[in-house]
Amino acid sequence: MKKRNWLTEKSKKQNQLGQLAATWMLIQTLFLATPGLANQPKPTLSYSQLLEKLDRGEIQKIEVDPTSELARVTLKNQGKNELPLNVVLFNQNPELINKIRSSEVDFEVKPTLDNASALGLLTNLVLIGILLGGLVMIIRKSAQASSQAFNFGKSRARFQMAAKTGVKFDDVAGVEEAKEELQEVVTFLKEPERFTTLGAKIPRGVLLVGPPGTGKTLLAKAISGEAEVPFFSISGSEFVEMFVGVGASRVRDLFKKAKENAPCLVFIDEIDAVGRQRGAGIGGGNDEREQTLNQLLTEMDGFEGNTGIIIIAATNRPDVLDKALLRPGRFDRQVIVDYPDCQGRLGILEVHSQNKILDAEVSLEAIARRTPGFTGADLANLLNEAAIFTARRRKEAITNLEINDAIDRVIAGMEGVPLLDSKAKRLIAYHEVGHAIVGSLMEGHDPVEKVTLIPRGQARGLTWFTPDEEQGLITRSQLLARIAGLLGGRAAEDVVFGHEEVTTGAGNDLERVTSIARQMVTKYGMSELGQLALEEDDNQVFLGNGLMNRSSDYSQEIAAKIDVTVREIAEKSYKIAKNIIRDNRSLIDDLVDLLIEKETIEGEEFRIIVNRNKEEKIEVNLQDKLVKV
Ligand code: ADP
Ligand code: MG
Ligand code: ZN
């Protein structure tokens, strides 16, 4: 606080200085613009008058200044305070000199500095001074702007320090294995003697690896909260700034502060921002980042195992990290923080519902079951949105309605305004029902959760499927079913409105179809091309190994075959989808009418209608047979 005051005071002073300089400059320009002011009128005497006065013996003293060709004449009867008279001499006049010599007058030749040139010199000096002063001020200003760069930690710390995070392991749910592993780190911080007496070296770094929002930061805070040690945190991206060397000095400073406060925990978020493989990457290496990383490595090596500082870093890209970071003695422990499973989601929901009022009808288990793939952050957000909806509707407790709305919102974004009944709306309805019907009737497809015509985010209509809970492995027939379901939208447009009327609405569907089909061929060995992995993960490009040396593992011939096979998969699936649409045309028409009327059909209702239709069909078939018999 004090330091900050001091800073502002100082800058105030500088401001005043600046104003002063500005006035000076102004005065100076005025001064220069009006030279009359500079050469004030002085009492003068003409040359002939001088000669006359010499003759009359009225002169006491003459000083001749050869540079300005002036004679300064002091008269005998002149008052003490009067200035000497100036006489302009046109040349060194021998006549005058002789005359002066012969008379009894003090005579001096005094080449004084020319007044005007002296003034000029002075002005120049002042101007130069002001310019230099200005320059210094500008430099100071810019230095101040990046003061964090030069004395980071001294003025404004870029890392955060919290004496107590107040987070406990109980606040983190759904990541039990990670918590178990990290419990050990808490013990290291709390009772290092337990390990050091046995000669064990305490690990220096732990790397938390997992997708965004799964609770890595929260876990790090919880460790420091449980161990009751200070928590230093900085984000990897904050290391890398404008100037080369800043990152390195920040690292140095961070560790200096940490050492002063040991035992403590240093948390480096997004370490991949600094910790990428050195000397690699698109667009050449990044000197600054490399320096920062080198400094980080040096610092980590620098403190001996038992100083009581533990570094925890988080990343969602462990694959891009420099190998040197993962060496023993650095981040040699890796803890995976993954998406929570159903049980984990329930735990997280319990944590975040503690401070919320839930209606008795709300079942957290049901929410957990409905939200596969949600991270802890998503779930926290979900409950928060539900609370906001509830407050907006002036209800007393969160009900299932708000929960449902919040889930939709978290999954698909803001709700838009539904279209008026029009041809476009009918087309969208057919498209969505097409997805839902093909999805429902394909063996092995995920169940329909909801079909809606209410636009959300980019989408004009949406069909949701709930993926089977944590299935992990997916079979070939499931993938084919997914492809057919994705093509169901386009197939419905095609069958109902004709080939010329299909729309751009299927663009996203087709992208996903292509991606799944391609992976089936090149990654999972699910085609005639055989059990080969023809391509590695697509995130290769970011690996830092660069685009340049990416070798394809297959020949041109195989490349052509891949394309053909991918196309075959898509075409076959499209045929299947179209057949399903044709076979169920009247059911689809009914569903579209219902959807346009209600805007949304829930999965349960949808299934009931489809099943009823199936039974009717069987009945009709039976009757047909009966008639035939
Ligand atoms: P990450 O660092 O992995 O991106 P954060 O730790 O920043 O994720 O999580 C953001 C927020 O989401 C947390 O502050 C917390 O409210 C919530 N959250 C995430 N994971 C969990 C969890 N496992 N248990 C409880 N809350 C969680
Ligand atoms: Mg984080
Ligand atoms: Zn679609």
Side-chain angles (χ1 to χ4, degrees):
M1 221 35 216
K2 251 184 198 163
K3 273 173 194 162
R4 183 155 286 180
N5 276 339
W6 176 77
L7 249 177
T8 41
E9 209 109 282
K10 190 177 150 201
S11 53
K12 232 189 236 164
K13 239 180 225 168
Q14 270 185 356
N15 257 347
Q16 280 169 359
L17 250 174
Q19 276 173 2
L20 211 71
T23 19
W24 250 101
M25 203 92 84
L26 207 70
I27 290 175
Q28 199 59 41
T29 32
L30 267 178
F31 209 56
L32 286 178
T34 51
L37 262 175
N39 300 338
Q40 272 175 354
K42 284 175 186 157
T44 50
L45 208 65
S46 74
Y47 185 58
S48 52
Q49 281 173 326
L50 171 64
L51 292 181
E52 251 173 48
K53 292 212 185 262
L54 255 180
D55 285 342
R56 277 193 244 138
E58 286 174 12
I59 287 173
Q60 191 188 359
K61 187 178 164 192
I62 295 178
E63 283 171 19
V64 173
D65 181 353
T67 35
S68 59
E69 296 185 328
L70 274 179
R72 235 164 261 137
V73 178
T74 316
L75 299 178
K76 276 184 179 157
N77 57 353
Q78 183 174 310
K80 271 223 169 133
N81 297 333
E82 276 176 58
L83 285 172
L85 299 163
N86 280 348
V87 180
V88 179
L89 309 174
F90 292 103
N91 336 10
Q92 285 292 325
N93 203 324
E95 187 199 354
L96 174 67
I97 308 284
N98 288 339
K99 234 180 186 155
I100 296 171
R101 290 255 156 82
S102 60
S103 63
E104 299 265 285
V105 171
D106 272 353
F107 177 61
E108 236 180 306
V109 177
K110 209 181 186 182
T112 52
L113 262 181
D114 171 273
N115 244 354
S117 66
L119 186 76
L121 196 66
L122 194 76
T123 339
N124 284 346
L125 279 177
V126 169
L127 268 180
I128 288 171
I130 287 171
L131 277 179
L132 276 179
L135 213 67
V136 166
M137 261 172 31
I138 289 168
I139 291 172
R140 278 237 193 118
K141 272 250 166 86
S142 69
Q144 226 178 27
S146 60
S147 64
Q148 316 97 318
F150 296 119
N151 45 9
F152 146 71
K154 280 172 199 122
S155 52
R156 230 181 318 156
R158 289 301 300 265
F159 51 78
Q160 267 104 48
M161 183 196 154
K164 282 205 183 96
T165 57
V167 181
K168 293 278 165 143
F169 271 154
D170 282 346
D171 300 325
V172 193
V175 280
E176 298 311 320
E177 296 108 49
K179 264 158 74 174
E180 243 159 64
E181 285 226 45
L182 295 169
Q183 184 62 50
E184 204 178 37
V185 177
V186 174
T187 323
F188 287 142
L189 284 165
K190 253 184 152 167
E191 311 165 57
E193 321 80 48
R194 252 171 70 180
F195 298 87
T196 50
T197 47
L198 289 173
K201 261 203 182 148
I202 290 175
R204 291 178 199 169
V206 179
L207 187 64
L208 299 179
V209 177
T214 45
K216 298 182 293 297
T217 310
L218 196 67
L219 265 173
K221 283 186 183 159
I223 296 170
S224 114
E226 289 281 339
E228 296 174 331
V229 297
F231 180 75
F232 288 88
S233 73
I234 189 163
S235 169
S237 55
E238 281 171 307
F239 281 135
V240 184
E241 287 231 351
M242 294 189 281
F243 304 109
V244 174
V246 174
S249 85
R250 278 201 183 143
V251 173
R252 233 174 291 133
D253 232 78
L254 175 64
F255 278 84
K256 200 172 129 227
K257 272 270 147 55
K259 275 178 207 162
E260 287 165 12
N261 288 285
C264 67
L265 189 146
V266 173
F267 178 61
I268 304 176
D269 211 351
E270 300 168 49
I271 194 168
D272 42 301
V274 274
R276 290 198 174 207
Q277 271 174 14
R278 285 167 290 184
I282 299 161
N286 179 335
D287 255 353
E288 163 64 350
R289 215 183 55 216
E290 285 186 14
Q291 281 197 17
T292 311
L293 178 56
N294 285 336
Q295 187 66 41
L296 187 65
L297 296 177
T298 318
E299 290 287 348
M300 285 192 80
D301 288 341
F303 60 85
E304 283 311 313
N306 302 331
T307 38
I309 303 174
I310 290 199
I311 304 163
I312 301 211
T315 181
N316 48 2
R317 302 292 316 273
D319 49 332
V320 305
L321 290 182
D322 199 289
K323 296 282 171 292
L325 268 175
L326 307 174
R327 240 186 43 194
R330 287 159 183 168
F331 293 104
D332 44 356
R333 293 199 174 201
Q334 290 197 23
V335 176
I336 310 284
V337 188
D338 213 343
Y339 289 108
D341 57 12
C342 190
Q343 205 55 38
R345 292 197 296 274
L346 178 58
I348 296 171
L349 286 168
E350 273 163 5
V351 168
H352 286 280
S353 61
Q354 268 165 16
N355 59 352
K356 301 194 173 61
I357 304 166
L358 293 180
D359 194 278
E361 67 168 13
V362 174
S363 146
L364 293 182
E365 283 92 18
I367 305 176
R369 249 181 283 119
R370 279 186 58 193
T371 48
F374 272 45
T375 62
D378 290 334
L379 292 170
N381 186 20
L382 159 67
L383 285 181
N384 190 48
E385 289 287 343
I388 291 174
F389 278 132
T390 312
R392 205 182 284 159
R393 293 168 193 171
R394 299 184 189 287
K395 289 192 189 174
E396 267 156 32
I398 301 171
T399 68
N400 275 335
L401 195 66
E402 282 77 40
I403 296 280
N404 288 342
D405 288 351
I407 292 178
D408 291 354
R409 172 136 191 201
V410 171
I411 293 179
M414 286 247 289
E415 205 172 86
V417 184
L419 288 173
L420 293 176
D421 197 356
S422 62
K423 191 184 168 198
K425 187 168 185 173
R426 286 203 97 72
L427 191 135
I428 296 168
Y430 271 104
H431 180 107
E432 297 306 332
V433 171
H435 281 308
I437 277 288
V438 176
S440 305
L441 297 181
M442 287 296 289
E443 197 72 34
H445 199 285
D446 298 325
V448 179
E449 165 79 30
K450 174 185 281 196
V451 190
T452 177
L453 288 184
I454 297 171
R456 272 175 198 279
Q458 297 279 313
R460 309 273 222 89
L462 282 170
T463 308
W464 268 295
F465 298 95
T466 324
D468 190 11
E469 184 59 34
E470 282 98 36
Q471 56 185 181
L473 297 176
I474 308 175
T475 64
R476 179 168 187 269
S477 74
Q478 280 174 325
L479 285 177
L480 287 174
R482 222 172 258 189
I483 292 178
L486 281 165
L487 288 170
R490 166 55 62 85
E493 289 179 27
D494 195 348
V495 170
V496 177
F497 294 88
H499 191 58
E500 300 302 316
E501 296 294 310
V502 296
T503 68
T504 53
N508 185 30
D509 301 335
L510 299 185
E511 251 170 52
R512 283 163 61 195
V513 167
T514 316
S515 153
I516 297 175
R518 201 175 172 86
Q519 287 186 43
M520 285 174 69
V521 177
T522 62
K523 246 175 118 173
Y524 303 123
M526 289 179 177
S527 70
E528 307 81 90
L529 283 190
Q531 323 299 315
L532 292 173
L534 295 165
E535 264 165 25
E536 283 168 38
D537 281 341
D538 346 344
N539 49 14
Q540 265 270 323
V541 179
F542 302 106
L543 255 178
N545 292 333
L547 279 169
M548 309 307 159
N549 49 12
R550 183 177 184 181
S551 58
S552 48
D553 303 335
Y554 46 78
S555 62
Q556 292 272 315
E557 228 175 296
I558 300 273
K561 272 190 189 159
I562 291 175
D563 288 343
V564 171
T565 317
V566 169
R567 184 166 319 196
E568 271 172 15
I569 292 176
E571 262 165 21
K572 267 187 200 157
S573 305
Y574 190 53
K575 274 205 189 109
I576 294 173
K578 267 166 87 167
N579 282 337
I580 293 178
I581 304 279
R582 282 202 201 96
D583 291 349
N584 296 280
R585 181 59 198 272
S586 67
L587 169 62
I588 292 174
D589 289 343
D590 291 347
L591 282 166
V592 164
D593 287 339
L594 184 67
L595 185 60
I596 286 183
E597 183 196 320
K598 288 180 63 174
E599 312 259 62
T600 301
I601 305 177
E602 296 293 336
E604 218 28 67
E605 191 180 358
F606 191 88
R607 268 186 291 281
I608 290 172
I609 299 174
V610 172
N611 285 337
R612 200 191 313 141
N613 184 267
K614 256 190 212 163
E615 281 157 18
E616 277 167 15
K617 258 192 182 168
I618 292 169
E619 239 166 66
V620 171
N621 275 347
L622 277 179
Q623 277 172 2
D624 278 358
K625 274 179 194 160
L626 283 178
V627 171
K628 269 176 202 162
V629 169

